[in-house]
Amino acid sequence: MEQYGLFINGEWAKSKETVEVYNKYTREVFAEVSKAGKDEVDQAITSAESAYRNKEMSPYSRFEVLHRVSELLQENKEEMAQIITAEAGKPIKQARTEIDRATQTFELSAEEAKRIHGEGVPVEAAPGSENRMAFTIKVPVGVVGAISPFNFPVNLVSHKIAPAIAAGNAVVLKPAKNTPISSLKLAQLFQEAGLPEGFLNVVVGSGSEIGNQMMKDERINLYTFTGSAEVGLKLKQNTGLNKLILELGNNSPVIVDKAANVKKAAETLAQKSFAFAGQVCISVQRMYVHEDVAEDFKKHFITATKELNVGDPTNDETDVGPMISQDEAERAEEWIQEAKGQGADVIYGGQRRGSVFEPTLLTNVDHSMKVVCEEIFAPVVTMMTFSDLDKCIQEVNKSNYGLQGGIFTQDVDRAFKAARKVEVGGFMINDASQYRVDLMPYGGVKNSGWGKEGPKYTIEDMTEERLVVMNLEQ
């Protein structure tokens, strides 16, 4: 059995307690990781603060380290993908794609490290300031506290630590307790790439313990968190005036208009509703289908869903593997049973085998049901019909969430009406809500959070703008 320590101040540290990491498909323990207590978390924050205050990485040295990590990720692609599949249950082909995306995230962050700049400010145009010149510079915020989720244990971690280091910050990372090994392997790659000691620290353990300690530590200047809206709200309420980047819950809506290519829409949505067992923040959850094409769409959607392979995530052909735990699969099952009791129909799927949940389609649903109004985070999608686009958009916007959404239509006017009116941070036309590339600004509105991911945009939040004014003698 593999054993891993914590990564603090450039060294691997063991602790008295350990966390067992399970293979999410076989349910067997395959690794043990040291569990951080109060002392280890304090040491990690102390290390990060010391590195930030006493060591300085030039923009080019940041570029070199991040670029090298990008290269190392590709060199170790298969090992990293296998780790994701084991600890997260993600199908291996999707895990390999995640490593490719993380490679890009590091490469983008490396390039952005060389582009951080301020601008000239024409203060001399103000009366009485004719002898002055001014400009702004961008400086790091300091120590970044990063808390990451289980569903993209390499790429979402990369979106937090790579821009932070590109901007010159030091990081204390707490990965998800279910998937810590990916983060520790990333720390090894940073060590190999030559990152100075203290700029990255990784502590593993319970979110309620480590997260609370990090939240209360005034040495952390910015928090970047991906997870539930409930925890995001707690961070907002308890971190004072510190900066926050919050990527929270969602229940993505996609509209299938009467002017859509129905077959293409159905096939795309079947793929994007159930990838990684629906455990993606922008997975399709709510489908609003025009009544004129509803039956045709449903037929094509079910046909495409039947073609998905469900089961062992180590199989190259598998599309839908296990959920992160049997408890989560049972929760999804309970939500479906509750919806059925309220009048919903299970048109396809609905069966659970341990932590493996079949791709499921529900109809006859409404916004009072959990499967519609809350984030199910499971391979479950709902279908509702509409006749009037304006009323449909009003229904879509009843959600408390607003991360990403979309519409399938060949009518440009209707596409842009939806793009203007649907309350989300990102809107896709003729694509599923799950579309994302790592250079784009990614973030939500309402209870889906605030701030943006995407290296260029994250760096804006992870730096401070400082004004410099010179009084020139003439």
PDB file of all heavy atoms in Angstrom, residues 24-25 85 88-92 94 274-279 308-315 317-324 329 353-359 378-379:
ATOM      1  N   LYS A  24     -12.654   4.020  -5.775  1.00  0.00           N
ATOM      2  CA  LYS A  24     -14.082   4.307  -5.744  1.00  0.00           C
ATOM      3  C   LYS A  24     -14.931   3.276  -6.480  1.00  0.00           C
ATOM      4  O   LYS A  24     -16.158   3.288  -6.347  1.00  0.00           O
ATOM      5  CB  LYS A  24     -14.335   5.715  -6.311  1.00  0.00           C
ATOM      6  CG  LYS A  24     -13.624   6.839  -5.542  1.00  0.00           C
ATOM      7  CD  LYS A  24     -13.919   6.797  -4.055  1.00  0.00           C
ATOM      8  CE  LYS A  24     -13.282   7.937  -3.272  1.00  0.00           C
ATOM      9  NZ  LYS A  24     -11.835   7.869  -3.180  1.00  0.00           N
ATOM     10  N   TYR A  25     -14.296   2.387  -7.225  1.00  0.00           N
ATOM     11  CA  TYR A  25     -15.059   1.329  -7.902  1.00  0.00           C
ATOM     12  C   TYR A  25     -15.000   0.028  -7.118  1.00  0.00           C
ATOM     13  O   TYR A  25     -16.018  -0.597  -6.848  1.00  0.00           O
ATOM     14  CB  TYR A  25     -14.536   1.118  -9.319  1.00  0.00           C
ATOM     15  CG  TYR A  25     -15.341   0.126 -10.118  1.00  0.00           C
ATOM     16  CD1 TYR A  25     -16.650   0.424 -10.521  1.00  0.00           C
ATOM     17  CD2 TYR A  25     -14.814  -1.109 -10.470  1.00  0.00           C
ATOM     18  CE1 TYR A  25     -17.406  -0.477 -11.246  1.00  0.00           C
ATOM     19  CE2 TYR A  25     -15.565  -2.029 -11.205  1.00  0.00           C
ATOM     20  CZ  TYR A  25     -16.856  -1.709 -11.589  1.00  0.00           C
ATOM     21  OH  TYR A  25     -17.603  -2.609 -12.315  1.00  0.00           O
ATOM     22  N   THR A  85      -8.439   7.984 -11.784  1.00  0.00           N
ATOM     23  CA  THR A  85      -9.438   6.925 -11.933  1.00  0.00           C
ATOM     24  C   THR A  85      -9.607   6.143 -10.644  1.00  0.00           C
ATOM     25  O   THR A  85     -10.734   5.811 -10.239  1.00  0.00           O
ATOM     26  CB  THR A  85      -9.042   5.997 -13.093  1.00  0.00           C
ATOM     27  OG1 THR A  85      -9.084   6.740 -14.314  1.00  0.00           O
ATOM     28  CG2 THR A  85      -9.992   4.819 -13.208  1.00  0.00           C
ATOM     29  N   ALA A  88     -10.907   8.913  -7.700  1.00  0.00           N
ATOM     30  CA  ALA A  88     -12.143   9.644  -7.988  1.00  0.00           C
ATOM     31  C   ALA A  88     -13.185   8.786  -8.689  1.00  0.00           C
ATOM     32  O   ALA A  88     -14.358   9.165  -8.736  1.00  0.00           O
ATOM     33  CB  ALA A  88     -11.843  10.879  -8.847  1.00  0.00           C
ATOM     34  N   GLY A  89     -12.787   7.660  -9.286  1.00  0.00           N
ATOM     35  CA  GLY A  89     -13.726   6.836 -10.028  1.00  0.00           C
ATOM     36  C   GLY A  89     -14.034   7.377 -11.414  1.00  0.00           C
ATOM     37  O   GLY A  89     -14.978   6.932 -12.065  1.00  0.00           O
ATOM     38  N   LYS A  90     -13.237   8.319 -11.873  1.00  0.00           N
ATOM     39  CA  LYS A  90     -13.479   8.908 -13.196  1.00  0.00           C
ATOM     40  C   LYS A  90     -13.040   7.923 -14.284  1.00  0.00           C
ATOM     41  O   LYS A  90     -11.945   7.354 -14.193  1.00  0.00           O
ATOM     42  CB  LYS A  90     -12.703  10.222 -13.321  1.00  0.00           C
ATOM     43  CG  LYS A  90     -12.878  10.934 -14.659  1.00  0.00           C
ATOM     44  CD  LYS A  90     -12.251  12.314 -14.649  1.00  0.00           C
ATOM     45  CE  LYS A  90     -13.038  13.264 -13.778  1.00  0.00           C
ATOM     46  NZ  LYS A  90     -12.579  14.662 -13.906  1.00  0.00           N
ATOM     47  N   PRO A  91     -13.862   7.697 -15.313  1.00  0.00           N
ATOM     48  CA  PRO A  91     -13.446   6.818 -16.412  1.00  0.00           C
ATOM     49  C   PRO A  91     -12.092   7.234 -16.969  1.00  0.00           C
ATOM     50  O   PRO A  91     -11.811   8.430 -17.126  1.00  0.00           O
ATOM     51  CB  PRO A  91     -14.566   7.000 -17.437  1.00  0.00           C
ATOM     52  CG  PRO A  91     -15.779   7.305 -16.602  1.00  0.00           C
ATOM     53  CD  PRO A  91     -15.253   8.157 -15.482  1.00  0.00           C
ATOM     54  N   ILE A  92     -11.264   6.246 -17.278  1.00  0.00           N
ATOM     55  CA  ILE A  92      -9.871   6.506 -17.613  1.00  0.00           C
ATOM     56  C   ILE A  92      -9.721   7.437 -18.809  1.00  0.00           C
ATOM     57  O   ILE A  92      -8.830   8.289 -18.830  1.00  0.00           O
ATOM     58  CB  ILE A  92      -9.103   5.171 -17.836  1.00  0.00           C
ATOM     59  CG1 ILE A  92      -7.608   5.420 -18.023  1.00  0.00           C
ATOM     60  CG2 ILE A  92      -9.698   4.385 -18.969  1.00  0.00           C
ATOM     61  CD1 ILE A  92      -6.908   6.037 -16.843  1.00  0.00           C
ATOM     62  N   GLN A  94     -11.660   9.853 -19.637  1.00  0.00           N
ATOM     63  CA  GLN A  94     -11.937  11.210 -19.155  1.00  0.00           C
ATOM     64  C   GLN A  94     -10.806  11.705 -18.253  1.00  0.00           C
ATOM     65  O   GLN A  94     -10.503  12.902 -18.226  1.00  0.00           O
ATOM     66  CB  GLN A  94     -13.280  11.236 -18.429  1.00  0.00           C
ATOM     67  CG  GLN A  94     -14.468  10.918 -19.325  1.00  0.00           C
ATOM     68  CD  GLN A  94     -15.760  10.731 -18.556  1.00  0.00           C
ATOM     69  OE1 GLN A  94     -15.927  11.232 -17.437  1.00  0.00           O
ATOM     70  NE2 GLN A  94     -16.690   9.979 -19.140  1.00  0.00           N
ATOM     71  N   PHE A 274     -24.100  13.121 -18.499  1.00  0.00           N
ATOM     72  CA  PHE A 274     -23.709  11.976 -17.684  1.00  0.00           C
ATOM     73  C   PHE A 274     -22.201  11.772 -17.562  1.00  0.00           C
ATOM     74  O   PHE A 274     -21.760  10.820 -16.912  1.00  0.00           O
ATOM     75  CB  PHE A 274     -24.364  10.714 -18.257  1.00  0.00           C
ATOM     76  CG  PHE A 274     -25.861  10.837 -18.400  1.00  0.00           C
ATOM     77  CD1 PHE A 274     -26.478  10.655 -19.634  1.00  0.00           C
ATOM     78  CD2 PHE A 274     -26.644  11.161 -17.310  1.00  0.00           C
ATOM     79  CE1 PHE A 274     -27.847  10.769 -19.772  1.00  0.00           C
ATOM     80  CE2 PHE A 274     -28.032  11.285 -17.434  1.00  0.00           C
ATOM     81  CZ  PHE A 274     -28.632  11.085 -18.661  1.00  0.00           C
ATOM     82  N   ALA A 275     -21.389  12.624 -18.190  1.00  0.00           N
ATOM     83  CA  ALA A 275     -19.935  12.502 -18.063  1.00  0.00           C
ATOM     84  C   ALA A 275     -19.545  12.561 -16.585  1.00  0.00           C
ATOM     85  O   ALA A 275     -20.072  13.367 -15.817  1.00  0.00           O
ATOM     86  CB  ALA A 275     -19.245  13.607 -18.843  1.00  0.00           C
ATOM     87  N   PHE A 276     -18.604  11.723 -16.189  1.00  0.00           N
ATOM     88  CA  PHE A 276     -18.180  11.567 -14.795  1.00  0.00           C
ATOM     89  C   PHE A 276     -19.380  11.443 -13.863  1.00  0.00           C
ATOM     90  O   PHE A 276     -19.456  12.058 -12.804  1.00  0.00           O
ATOM     91  CB  PHE A 276     -17.262  12.703 -14.354  1.00  0.00           C
ATOM     92  CG  PHE A 276     -16.604  12.443 -13.014  1.00  0.00           C
ATOM     93  CD1 PHE A 276     -16.255  11.166 -12.619  1.00  0.00           C
ATOM     94  CD2 PHE A 276     -16.341  13.487 -12.141  1.00  0.00           C
ATOM     95  CE1 PHE A 276     -15.677  10.912 -11.386  1.00  0.00           C
ATOM     96  CE2 PHE A 276     -15.748  13.259 -10.902  1.00  0.00           C
ATOM     97  CZ  PHE A 276     -15.415  11.968 -10.522  1.00  0.00           C
ATOM     98  N   ALA A 277     -20.347  10.630 -14.297  1.00  0.00           N
ATOM     99  CA  ALA A 277     -21.545  10.341 -13.500  1.00  0.00           C
ATOM    100  C   ALA A 277     -22.261  11.618 -13.067  1.00  0.00           C
ATOM    101  O   ALA A 277     -22.834  11.683 -11.971  1.00  0.00           O
ATOM    102  CB  ALA A 277     -21.187   9.477 -12.286  1.00  0.00           C
ATOM    103  N   GLY A 278     -22.231  12.645 -13.932  1.00  0.00           N
ATOM    104  CA  GLY A 278     -22.935  13.887 -13.633  1.00  0.00           C
ATOM    105  C   GLY A 278     -22.316  14.720 -12.541  1.00  0.00           C
ATOM    106  O   GLY A 278     -22.903  15.728 -12.114  1.00  0.00           O
ATOM    107  N   GLN A 279     -21.133  14.347 -12.086  1.00  0.00           N
ATOM    108  CA  GLN A 279     -20.493  15.054 -10.970  1.00  0.00           C
ATOM    109  C   GLN A 279     -19.584  16.170 -11.485  1.00  0.00           C
ATOM    110  O   GLN A 279     -18.398  16.238 -11.155  1.00  0.00           O
ATOM    111  CB  GLN A 279     -19.707  14.053 -10.115  1.00  0.00           C
ATOM    112  CG  GLN A 279     -20.587  12.972  -9.502  1.00  0.00           C
ATOM    113  CD  GLN A 279     -19.790  11.852  -8.875  1.00  0.00           C
ATOM    114  OE1 GLN A 279     -19.905  11.582  -7.686  1.00  0.00           O
ATOM    115  NE2 GLN A 279     -18.972  11.192  -9.670  1.00  0.00           N
ATOM    116  N   LEU A 308     -24.227   4.642 -24.115  1.00  0.00           N
ATOM    117  CA  LEU A 308     -23.173   4.903 -23.141  1.00  0.00           C
ATOM    118  C   LEU A 308     -22.817   3.627 -22.387  1.00  0.00           C
ATOM    119  O   LEU A 308     -23.697   2.844 -22.010  1.00  0.00           O
ATOM    120  CB  LEU A 308     -23.622   5.978 -22.142  1.00  0.00           C
ATOM    121  CG  LEU A 308     -23.947   7.360 -22.723  1.00  0.00           C
ATOM    122  CD1 LEU A 308     -24.512   8.266 -21.639  1.00  0.00           C
ATOM    123  CD2 LEU A 308     -22.710   7.984 -23.348  1.00  0.00           C
ATOM    124  N   ASN A 309     -21.544   3.423 -22.151  1.00  0.00           N
ATOM    125  CA  ASN A 309     -21.072   2.265 -21.398  1.00  0.00           C
ATOM    126  C   ASN A 309     -20.932   2.630 -19.928  1.00  0.00           C
ATOM    127  O   ASN A 309     -20.273   3.614 -19.583  1.00  0.00           O
ATOM    128  CB  ASN A 309     -19.723   1.791 -21.941  1.00  0.00           C
ATOM    129  CG  ASN A 309     -19.825   1.281 -23.363  1.00  0.00           C
ATOM    130  OD1 ASN A 309     -20.644   0.416 -23.657  1.00  0.00           O
ATOM    131  ND2 ASN A 309     -19.018   1.816 -24.265  1.00  0.00           N
ATOM    132  N   VAL A 310     -21.545   1.834 -19.067  1.00  0.00           N
ATOM    133  CA  VAL A 310     -21.574   2.104 -17.631  1.00  0.00           C
ATOM    134  C   VAL A 310     -20.832   0.990 -16.895  1.00  0.00           C
ATOM    135  O   VAL A 310     -21.056  -0.193 -17.169  1.00  0.00           O
ATOM    136  CB  VAL A 310     -23.028   2.180 -17.119  1.00  0.00           C
ATOM    137  CG1 VAL A 310     -23.058   2.499 -15.624  1.00  0.00           C
ATOM    138  CG2 VAL A 310     -23.821   3.228 -17.905  1.00  0.00           C
ATOM    139  N   GLY A 311     -19.942   1.371 -15.972  1.00  0.00           N
ATOM    140  CA  GLY A 311     -19.281   0.339 -15.187  1.00  0.00           C
ATOM    141  C   GLY A 311     -17.875   0.671 -14.756  1.00  0.00           C
ATOM    142  O   GLY A 311     -17.614   1.768 -14.256  1.00  0.00           O
ATOM    143  N   ASP A 312     -16.947  -0.254 -14.985  1.00  0.00           N
ATOM    144  CA  ASP A 312     -15.573  -0.185 -14.502  1.00  0.00           C
ATOM    145  C   ASP A 312     -14.840   1.004 -15.134  1.00  0.00           C
ATOM    146  O   ASP A 312     -14.639   1.050 -16.352  1.00  0.00           O
ATOM    147  CB  ASP A 312     -14.853  -1.480 -14.861  1.00  0.00           C
ATOM    148  CG  ASP A 312     -13.445  -1.561 -14.281  1.00  0.00           C
ATOM    149  OD1 ASP A 312     -12.947  -0.547 -13.756  1.00  0.00           O
ATOM    150  OD2 ASP A 312     -12.846  -2.651 -14.368  1.00  0.00           O
ATOM    151  N   PRO A 313     -14.399   1.979 -14.333  1.00  0.00           N
ATOM    152  CA  PRO A 313     -13.755   3.166 -14.907  1.00  0.00           C
ATOM    153  C   PRO A 313     -12.381   2.902 -15.495  1.00  0.00           C
ATOM    154  O   PRO A 313     -11.856   3.740 -16.238  1.00  0.00           O
ATOM    155  CB  PRO A 313     -13.674   4.131 -13.722  1.00  0.00           C
ATOM    156  CG  PRO A 313     -13.642   3.251 -12.519  1.00  0.00           C
ATOM    157  CD  PRO A 313     -14.516   2.075 -12.864  1.00  0.00           C
ATOM    158  N   THR A 314     -11.789   1.746 -15.190  1.00  0.00           N
ATOM    159  CA  THR A 314     -10.474   1.442 -15.774  1.00  0.00           C
ATOM    160  C   THR A 314     -10.590   0.935 -17.211  1.00  0.00           C
ATOM    161  O   THR A 314      -9.583   0.841 -17.916  1.00  0.00           O
ATOM    162  CB  THR A 314      -9.724   0.392 -14.931  1.00  0.00           C
ATOM    163  OG1 THR A 314     -10.454  -0.842 -14.945  1.00  0.00           O
ATOM    164  CG2 THR A 314      -9.546   0.865 -13.503  1.00  0.00           C
ATOM    165  N   ASN A 315     -11.797   0.616 -17.627  1.00  0.00           N
ATOM    166  CA  ASN A 315     -12.041   0.154 -18.997  1.00  0.00           C
ATOM    167  C   ASN A 315     -12.024   1.349 -19.946  1.00  0.00           C
ATOM    168  O   ASN A 315     -12.721   2.343 -19.728  1.00  0.00           O
ATOM    169  CB  ASN A 315     -13.387  -0.566 -19.059  1.00  0.00           C
ATOM    170  CG  ASN A 315     -13.636  -1.236 -20.394  1.00  0.00           C
ATOM    171  OD1 ASN A 315     -13.262  -0.718 -21.449  1.00  0.00           O
ATOM    172  ND2 ASN A 315     -14.288  -2.389 -20.369  1.00  0.00           N
ATOM    173  N   GLU A 317     -13.430   1.822 -22.619  1.00  0.00           N
ATOM    174  CA  GLU A 317     -14.706   2.083 -23.279  1.00  0.00           C
ATOM    175  C   GLU A 317     -15.748   2.697 -22.346  1.00  0.00           C
ATOM    176  O   GLU A 317     -16.812   3.126 -22.799  1.00  0.00           O
ATOM    177  CB  GLU A 317     -15.265   0.780 -23.864  1.00  0.00           C
ATOM    178  CG  GLU A 317     -14.358   0.097 -24.870  1.00  0.00           C
ATOM    179  CD  GLU A 317     -14.023   1.009 -26.038  1.00  0.00           C
ATOM    180  OE1 GLU A 317     -14.948   1.669 -26.553  1.00  0.00           O
ATOM    181  OE2 GLU A 317     -12.838   1.062 -26.433  1.00  0.00           O
ATOM    182  N   THR A 318     -15.473   2.739 -21.049  1.00  0.00           N
ATOM    183  CA  THR A 318     -16.470   3.206 -20.082  1.00  0.00           C
ATOM    184  C   THR A 318     -16.710   4.702 -20.192  1.00  0.00           C
ATOM    185  O   THR A 318     -15.774   5.501 -20.264  1.00  0.00           O
ATOM    186  CB  THR A 318     -16.040   2.853 -18.644  1.00  0.00           C
ATOM    187  OG1 THR A 318     -15.984   1.431 -18.524  1.00  0.00           O
ATOM    188  CG2 THR A 318     -17.013   3.409 -17.617  1.00  0.00           C
ATOM    189  N   ASP A 319     -17.996   5.075 -20.214  1.00  0.00           N
ATOM    190  CA  ASP A 319     -18.398   6.490 -20.245  1.00  0.00           C
ATOM    191  C   ASP A 319     -18.870   6.979 -18.881  1.00  0.00           C
ATOM    192  O   ASP A 319     -18.678   8.142 -18.526  1.00  0.00           O
ATOM    193  CB  ASP A 319     -19.539   6.691 -21.252  1.00  0.00           C
ATOM    194  CG  ASP A 319     -19.157   6.284 -22.656  1.00  0.00           C
ATOM    195  OD1 ASP A 319     -18.280   6.953 -23.238  1.00  0.00           O
ATOM    196  OD2 ASP A 319     -19.708   5.294 -23.169  1.00  0.00           O
ATOM    197  N   VAL A 320     -19.518   6.113 -18.120  1.00  0.00           N
ATOM    198  CA  VAL A 320     -20.086   6.471 -16.821  1.00  0.00           C
ATOM    199  C   VAL A 320     -19.598   5.463 -15.787  1.00  0.00           C
ATOM    200  O   VAL A 320     -19.943   4.278 -15.845  1.00  0.00           O
ATOM    201  CB  VAL A 320     -21.628   6.483 -16.861  1.00  0.00           C
ATOM    202  CG1 VAL A 320     -22.191   6.905 -15.502  1.00  0.00           C
ATOM    203  CG2 VAL A 320     -22.128   7.406 -17.956  1.00  0.00           C
ATOM    204  N   GLY A 321     -18.800   5.933 -14.839  1.00  0.00           N
ATOM    205  CA  GLY A 321     -18.289   5.069 -13.784  1.00  0.00           C
ATOM    206  C   GLY A 321     -19.052   5.285 -12.492  1.00  0.00           C
ATOM    207  O   GLY A 321     -20.189   5.776 -12.489  1.00  0.00           O
ATOM    208  N   PRO A 322     -18.459   4.950 -11.350  1.00  0.00           N
ATOM    209  CA  PRO A 322     -19.136   5.103 -10.060  1.00  0.00           C
ATOM    210  C   PRO A 322     -19.211   6.564  -9.635  1.00  0.00           C
ATOM    211  O   PRO A 322     -18.452   7.411 -10.107  1.00  0.00           O
ATOM    212  CB  PRO A 322     -18.236   4.316  -9.112  1.00  0.00           C
ATOM    213  CG  PRO A 322     -16.870   4.461  -9.714  1.00  0.00           C
ATOM    214  CD  PRO A 322     -17.092   4.412 -11.199  1.00  0.00           C
ATOM    215  N   MET A 323     -20.130   6.836  -8.724  1.00  0.00           N
ATOM    216  CA  MET A 323     -20.131   8.123  -8.051  1.00  0.00           C
ATOM    217  C   MET A 323     -19.049   8.101  -6.975  1.00  0.00           C
ATOM    218  O   MET A 323     -18.438   7.073  -6.702  1.00  0.00           O
ATOM    219  CB  MET A 323     -21.513   8.421  -7.484  1.00  0.00           C
ATOM    220  CG  MET A 323     -22.555   8.645  -8.570  1.00  0.00           C
ATOM    221  SD  MET A 323     -24.195   9.039  -7.922  1.00  0.00           S
ATOM    222  CE  MET A 323     -23.878  10.609  -7.085  1.00  0.00           C
ATOM    223  N   ILE A 324     -18.802   9.234  -6.372  1.00  0.00           N
ATOM    224  CA  ILE A 324     -17.677   9.362  -5.446  1.00  0.00           C
ATOM    225  C   ILE A 324     -17.852   8.471  -4.214  1.00  0.00           C
ATOM    226  O   ILE A 324     -16.875   8.064  -3.595  1.00  0.00           O
ATOM    227  CB  ILE A 324     -17.464  10.836  -5.029  1.00  0.00           C
ATOM    228  CG1 ILE A 324     -16.118  11.028  -4.342  1.00  0.00           C
ATOM    229  CG2 ILE A 324     -18.623  11.328  -4.179  1.00  0.00           C
ATOM    230  CD1 ILE A 324     -14.920  10.761  -5.228  1.00  0.00           C
ATOM    231  N   ALA A 329     -24.565   8.117  -4.026  1.00  0.00           N
ATOM    232  CA  ALA A 329     -25.460   7.410  -4.940  1.00  0.00           C
ATOM    233  C   ALA A 329     -26.815   7.150  -4.274  1.00  0.00           C
ATOM    234  O   ALA A 329     -27.870   7.287  -4.910  1.00  0.00           O
ATOM    235  CB  ALA A 329     -24.820   6.105  -5.391  1.00  0.00           C
ATOM    236  N   ARG A 353     -26.380   0.350  -8.482  1.00  0.00           N
ATOM    237  CA  ARG A 353     -25.649  -0.846  -8.070  1.00  0.00           C
ATOM    238  C   ARG A 353     -24.444  -0.381  -7.266  1.00  0.00           C
ATOM    239  O   ARG A 353     -23.442   0.049  -7.834  1.00  0.00           O
ATOM    240  CB  ARG A 353     -25.200  -1.667  -9.282  1.00  0.00           C
ATOM    241  CG  ARG A 353     -26.332  -2.166 -10.153  1.00  0.00           C
ATOM    242  CD  ARG A 353     -25.822  -3.085 -11.273  1.00  0.00           C
ATOM    243  NE  ARG A 353     -24.772  -2.459 -12.062  1.00  0.00           N
ATOM    244  CZ  ARG A 353     -25.000  -1.617 -13.061  1.00  0.00           C
ATOM    245  NH1 ARG A 353     -26.250  -1.280 -13.361  1.00  0.00           N
ATOM    246  NH2 ARG A 353     -24.003  -1.103 -13.745  1.00  0.00           N
ATOM    247  N   GLY A 354     -24.572  -0.435  -5.946  1.00  0.00           N
ATOM    248  CA  GLY A 354     -23.505   0.106  -5.106  1.00  0.00           C
ATOM    249  C   GLY A 354     -23.377   1.598  -5.333  1.00  0.00           C
ATOM    250  O   GLY A 354     -24.342   2.362  -5.177  1.00  0.00           O
ATOM    251  N   SER A 355     -22.195   2.038  -5.740  1.00  0.00           N
ATOM    252  CA  SER A 355     -21.990   3.463  -6.013  1.00  0.00           C
ATOM    253  C   SER A 355     -22.155   3.797  -7.488  1.00  0.00           C
ATOM    254  O   SER A 355     -21.965   4.950  -7.889  1.00  0.00           O
ATOM    255  CB  SER A 355     -20.592   3.882  -5.541  1.00  0.00           C
ATOM    256  OG  SER A 355     -19.601   3.108  -6.208  1.00  0.00           O
ATOM    257  N   VAL A 356     -22.508   2.799  -8.307  1.00  0.00           N
ATOM    258  CA  VAL A 356     -22.732   3.035  -9.734  1.00  0.00           C
ATOM    259  C   VAL A 356     -24.215   3.313  -9.960  1.00  0.00           C
ATOM    260  O   VAL A 356     -25.073   2.498  -9.611  1.00  0.00           O
ATOM    261  CB  VAL A 356     -22.284   1.830 -10.583  1.00  0.00           C
ATOM    262  CG1 VAL A 356     -22.597   2.069 -12.053  1.00  0.00           C
ATOM    263  CG2 VAL A 356     -20.793   1.569 -10.391  1.00  0.00           C
ATOM    264  N   PHE A 357     -24.492   4.479 -10.537  1.00  0.00           N
ATOM    265  CA  PHE A 357     -25.871   4.891 -10.781  1.00  0.00           C
ATOM    266  C   PHE A 357     -26.082   5.021 -12.284  1.00  0.00           C
ATOM    267  O   PHE A 357     -25.313   5.683 -12.981  1.00  0.00           O
ATOM    268  CB  PHE A 357     -26.150   6.236 -10.105  1.00  0.00           C
ATOM    269  CG  PHE A 357     -27.591   6.451  -9.771  1.00  0.00           C
ATOM    270  CD1 PHE A 357     -28.066   6.198  -8.503  1.00  0.00           C
ATOM    271  CD2 PHE A 357     -28.491   6.885 -10.740  1.00  0.00           C
ATOM    272  CE1 PHE A 357     -29.407   6.376  -8.191  1.00  0.00           C
ATOM    273  CE2 PHE A 357     -29.820   7.069 -10.445  1.00  0.00           C
ATOM    274  CZ  PHE A 357     -30.294   6.811  -9.169  1.00  0.00           C
ATOM    275  N   GLU A 358     -27.137   4.379 -12.778  1.00  0.00           N
ATOM    276  CA  GLU A 358     -27.415   4.422 -14.211  1.00  0.00           C
ATOM    277  C   GLU A 358     -27.768   5.835 -14.675  1.00  0.00           C
ATOM    278  O   GLU A 358     -28.421   6.584 -13.938  1.00  0.00           O
ATOM    279  CB  GLU A 358     -28.586   3.501 -14.550  1.00  0.00           C
ATOM    280  CG  GLU A 358     -28.293   2.037 -14.485  1.00  0.00           C
ATOM    281  CD  GLU A 358     -29.484   1.214 -14.929  1.00  0.00           C
ATOM    282  OE1 GLU A 358     -30.590   1.784 -15.050  1.00  0.00           O
ATOM    283  OE2 GLU A 358     -29.299   0.019 -15.154  1.00  0.00           O
ATOM    284  N   PRO A 359     -27.384   6.225 -15.889  1.00  0.00           N
ATOM    285  CA  PRO A 359     -27.871   7.483 -16.461  1.00  0.00           C
ATOM    286  C   PRO A 359     -29.396   7.493 -16.430  1.00  0.00           C
ATOM    287  O   PRO A 359     -30.038   6.502 -16.809  1.00  0.00           O
ATOM    288  CB  PRO A 359     -27.332   7.449 -17.890  1.00  0.00           C
ATOM    289  CG  PRO A 359     -26.123   6.584 -17.820  1.00  0.00           C
ATOM    290  CD  PRO A 359     -26.455   5.530 -16.794  1.00  0.00           C
ATOM    291  N   ALA A 378     -25.233  14.146  -9.905  1.00  0.00           N
ATOM    292  CA  ALA A 378     -25.371  12.715 -10.165  1.00  0.00           C
ATOM    293  C   ALA A 378     -25.792  12.567 -11.626  1.00  0.00           C
ATOM    294  O   ALA A 378     -26.172  13.551 -12.266  1.00  0.00           O
ATOM    295  CB  ALA A 378     -26.419  12.110  -9.228  1.00  0.00           C
ATOM    296  N   PRO A 379     -25.738  11.335 -12.169  1.00  0.00           N
ATOM    297  CA  PRO A 379     -26.107  11.156 -13.579  1.00  0.00           C
ATOM    298  C   PRO A 379     -27.624  11.152 -13.768  1.00  0.00           C
ATOM    299  O   PRO A 379     -28.235  10.159 -14.189  1.00  0.00           O
ATOM    300  CB  PRO A 379     -25.487   9.791 -13.912  1.00  0.00           C
ATOM    301  CG  PRO A 379     -25.488   9.049 -12.633  1.00  0.00           C
ATOM    302  CD  PRO A 379     -25.225  10.084 -11.579  1.00  0.00           C
TER     303      PRO A 379
END
